[in-house]
Amino acid sequence: MGGFLTHLADKLAEKWLSLLVMPGLLFLATASCARVLPHSDPFDHQPVVTALRHLRPSLHDPALVALALAGLLLAAAGVGLAARCLATLVQQVWAGPWPSWTGPLDRALTRRRRSRAERSPEPPAVTRYLPARPTWIADRLRLVDDRVHAEYGLRIALLWPRLWLALTPEQRAPIEAARVAFADAAALTAWGLLYLPLGLAWWPAALIGLVAVGAGIHRGRCGAASFTDLTEASVDVNQQLIADLFGRTLQDGRITPDDGARINDQLNKGA
């Protein structure tokens, strides 16, 4: 038990350092540069050297150094926690649903995306596949349910928790990897958003923020696309498993819309 607890503590410390402290320290270093470096000469190291020289007398007091180090680690962890909270908000904006008070903006963005899709050279042949959410990622997630329902009559929101429990670890692994990639992309975007205000004092910070936000959005789209494709594929290749789980007999080796409707009613407990 002692060895297990030690190993667990090591893992938690490693996660704490990699997810919160190290990115937080980098952010604090950038904020310090924004504090002492001017816009006109953002890479002049002399102001940083001068600031460090002012701190030199304090380094001879071990207690003060320990206190400063502890404060620095706590500040870095605090910034890291703020970034993780912001990442949750980023995922909410990407995937929805949006709060009711954002209704006008939600509808405006949805109309704009739908209008662009209708004017595109190759608009979707099925009306239900046209944009119906304010963001690309939210629509990609919605389409999983619409496509599965159109083909099999199944509702993915009802089916997925049960199917996930029945999948093998080998089948779950790529889906979980895509979900983690999506969460990591939201975290990268959140860090980029935190860097952007520092650009008001030091323009390289804004550049860092823009690159991070752009890369995060791109990776978020890739992660969402992989997750939705793999989720839909899990239904496609596990029709026999789904039928066995809910006592249905397949006709012609596939789930029919009638089967899907009965499974939905079973999962919804007749409500």
Side-chain angles (χ1 to χ4, degrees):
M1 178 62 73
F4 170 75
L5 293 176
T6 301
H7 178 72
L8 180 62
D10 291 341
K11 286 293 184 182
L12 290 175
E14 181 182 344
K15 287 287 186 182
W16 183 69
L17 285 172
S18 62
L19 295 179
L20 300 179
V21 176
M22 295 305 295
L25 287 174
L26 183 59
F27 178 84
L28 292 177
T30 305
S32 299
C33 290
R35 173 69 177 82
V36 300
L37 296 177
H39 267 303
S40 57
D41 194 1
F43 301 111
D44 180 16
H45 67 281
Q46 193 57 46
V48 177
V49 173
T50 302
L52 291 176
R53 283 175 178 170
H54 290 159
L55 294 176
R56 184 179 298 174
S58 302
L59 298 179
H60 298 290
D61 187 343
L64 187 60
V65 170
L67 184 62
L69 181 60
L72 181 63
L73 292 176
L74 287 175
V79 175
L81 285 173
R84 302 303 292 185
C85 293
L86 184 57
T88 301
L89 180 60
V90 169
Q91 291 190 57
Q92 183 72 27
V93 171
W94 284 351
W98 288 12
S100 58
W101 55 268
T102 63
L105 178 61
D106 185 326
R107 290 188 292 271
L109 291 175
T110 301
R111 284 195 300 268
R112 180 172 177 270
R113 296 187 64 251
R114 190 181 184 93
S115 177
R116 289 177 60 185
E118 290 173 337
R119 295 197 307 269
S120 66
E122 297 182 3
V126 182
T127 303
R128 70 192 295 182
Y129 293 165
L130 286 168
R133 296 290 186 272
T135 68
W136 183 91
I137 290 176
D139 255 324
R140 193 64 183 257
L141 294 171
R142 174 189 66 85
L143 282 175
V144 176
D145 183 69
D146 282 353
R147 288 166 61 87
V148 169
H149 183 261
E151 184 68 20
Y152 307 115
L154 294 165
R155 285 300 181 189
I156 197 70
L158 291 171
L159 174 66
W160 185 247
R162 286 83 172 180
L163 179 58
W164 176 258
L165 293 175
L167 295 178
T168 65
E170 291 76 15
Q171 291 174 314
R172 292 182 188 178
I175 302 173
E176 182 64 17
R179 186 199 65 79
V180 171
F182 179 74
D184 289 344
L188 178 60
T189 304
W191 278 111
L193 293 174
L194 289 179
Y195 274 89
L196 287 178
L198 298 180
L200 297 174
W202 191 52
W203 66 261
L207 183 60
I208 294 172
L210 288 173
V211 171
V213 169
I217 292 174
H218 174 72
R219 289 172 56 184
R221 284 192 168 203
C222 292
S226 296
F227 179 79
T228 53
D229 287 345
L230 290 167
T231 300
E232 187 175 336
S234 296
V235 178
D236 293 336
V237 303
N238 286 290
Q239 293 184 58
Q240 186 62 58
L241 172 62
I242 295 170
D244 292 342
L245 287 173
F246 304 106
R248 307 302 303 173
T249 301
L250 294 185
Q251 300 177 6
D252 301 324
R254 67 183 302 275
I255 296 175
T256 64
D258 181 64
D259 291 326
R262 292 178 181 275
I263 292 173
N264 291 336
D265 185 66
Q266 182 178 348
L267 294 177
N268 209 29
K269 307 298 188 291

